[in-house]
Amino acid sequence: MQFSRYAVYVTLPRGPLVDFGAAWLGWNAARGERPSAPMVHGLPRPVHEITATPRKYGLHGTVKPPFRLAEGHKPDNLHDALGTLCAALAPVTLEGLALTRLGSFLALTPTGDTAALTALAARVVADLDPFRAPLTEAELDKRHKANLSDRQRELLRDWGYPYVMDQFRFHITLTGRLSPDEAEQVRLALLPRLEDKLPRPFVIDALTLCGEDSTGYFHELQRYALSG
């Protein structure tokens, strides 16, 4: 299979949270399957509408955002570089995950001190940047239309994405944009389905290289243990 873009994500080991999350989103990136949606009562809209935006990425937390390979680099080179990097990086242990409203969408976010995770993500973004092709003018224009701060515009120019380094906030997206009332309804509907599945502590002991297929869906390609 050919992939147009690559990304480095935190994906979760198989278990109840992954099974529910993949069904909720409608895409299992590890298996390349589209599971049936779970029955969740109290939603303001059908699940497939609520999850349309994050579906193609699968259940994940972004570390290095999607990028096209730079000229002269091959996928095997990227695999080797990420494997070598992960072998030098230590796992990160966080207090846990919580269901959180971030602006207009819902996500799972880490609780407790996230400094080690932020440092890990910054290292991955910087070390793998030689593999990233520069953004096109169209891509830059699209990003500049967002309400970015001066710092975020600087990061977009330097690293191809505005929400990295000191602007990074790890999250596992569960919905697209929702109105405040919808977000609260979805939060209340999801809480009883998630609370016994959320890890405590939340240990990040691997990073996953993912690839975007011709339909825009991401697939998990290889999971690399953090063994430094």
Side-chain angles (χ1 to χ4, degrees):
M1 185 181 295
Q2 297 292 317
F3 300 103
S4 58
R5 293 192 299 170
Y6 295 87
V8 179
Y9 293 153
V10 170
T11 61
L12 307 178
R14 292 183 63 177
L17 178 57
V18 167
D19 292 343
F20 178 80
W24 167 257
L25 291 175
W27 176 244
N28 187 319
R31 300 182 183 180
E33 298 173 350
R34 304 190 187 200
S36 300
M39 291 295 297
V40 178
H41 300 289
L43 297 175
R45 286 189 272 146
V47 175
H48 73 273
E49 293 182 10
I50 293 170
T51 60
T53 300
R55 179 173 303 125
K56 67 180 184 178
Y57 300 97
L59 191 71
H60 79 286
T62 299
V63 172
K64 185 168 180 63
F67 60 93
R68 289 173 289 101
L69 271 183
E71 187 176 352
H73 287 289
K74 296 180 179 180
D76 286 349
N77 304 139
L78 178 59
H79 274 276
D80 291 344
L82 180 57
T84 299
L85 178 58
C86 287
L89 296 173
V92 173
T93 299
L94 301 154
E95 286 184 6
L97 286 174
L99 180 60
T100 307
R101 180 177 164 190
L102 295 179
S104 61
F105 65 95
L106 295 177
L108 300 178
T109 61
T111 57
D113 186 359
T114 60
L117 177 54
T118 299
L120 172 76
R123 174 78 182 274
V124 175
V125 166
D127 282 23
L128 296 183
D129 201 60
F131 291 91
R132 179 182 62 84
L135 296 178
T136 65
E137 288 300 322
E139 289 168 335
L140 281 170
D141 288 344
K142 182 179 180 180
R143 283 291 176 188
H144 280 306
K145 288 178 181 177
N147 187 26
L148 301 179
S149 67
D150 289 343
R151 174 58 176 157
Q152 289 163 351
R153 290 178 184 276
E154 178 185 354
L155 293 168
L156 176 65
R157 182 192 69 230
D158 293 344
W159 304 108
Y161 197 70
Y163 308 112
V164 294
M165 305 306 182
D166 56 285
Q167 298 295 299
F168 173 76
R169 184 174 183 183
F170 181 86
H171 59 279
I172 299 174
T173 305
L174 296 179
T175 75
R177 292 180 179 275
L178 301 170
S179 71
D181 287 344
E182 287 179 327
E184 182 60 11
Q185 290 178 64
V186 176
R187 188 185 70 82
L188 292 175
L190 278 178
L191 268 177
R193 299 298 301 272
L194 285 173
E195 56 190 356
D196 64 340
K197 300 178 179 67
L198 297 179
R200 192 167 188 88
F202 174 42
V203 180
I204 297 175
D205 58 6
L207 297 177
T208 303
L209 184 64
C210 296
E212 183 182 25
D213 68 20
S214 60
T215 67
Y217 279 74
F218 278 79
H219 299 254
E220 295 183 21
L221 305 180
Q222 184 69 47
R223 186 177 169 89
Y224 293 97
L226 298 173
S227 53

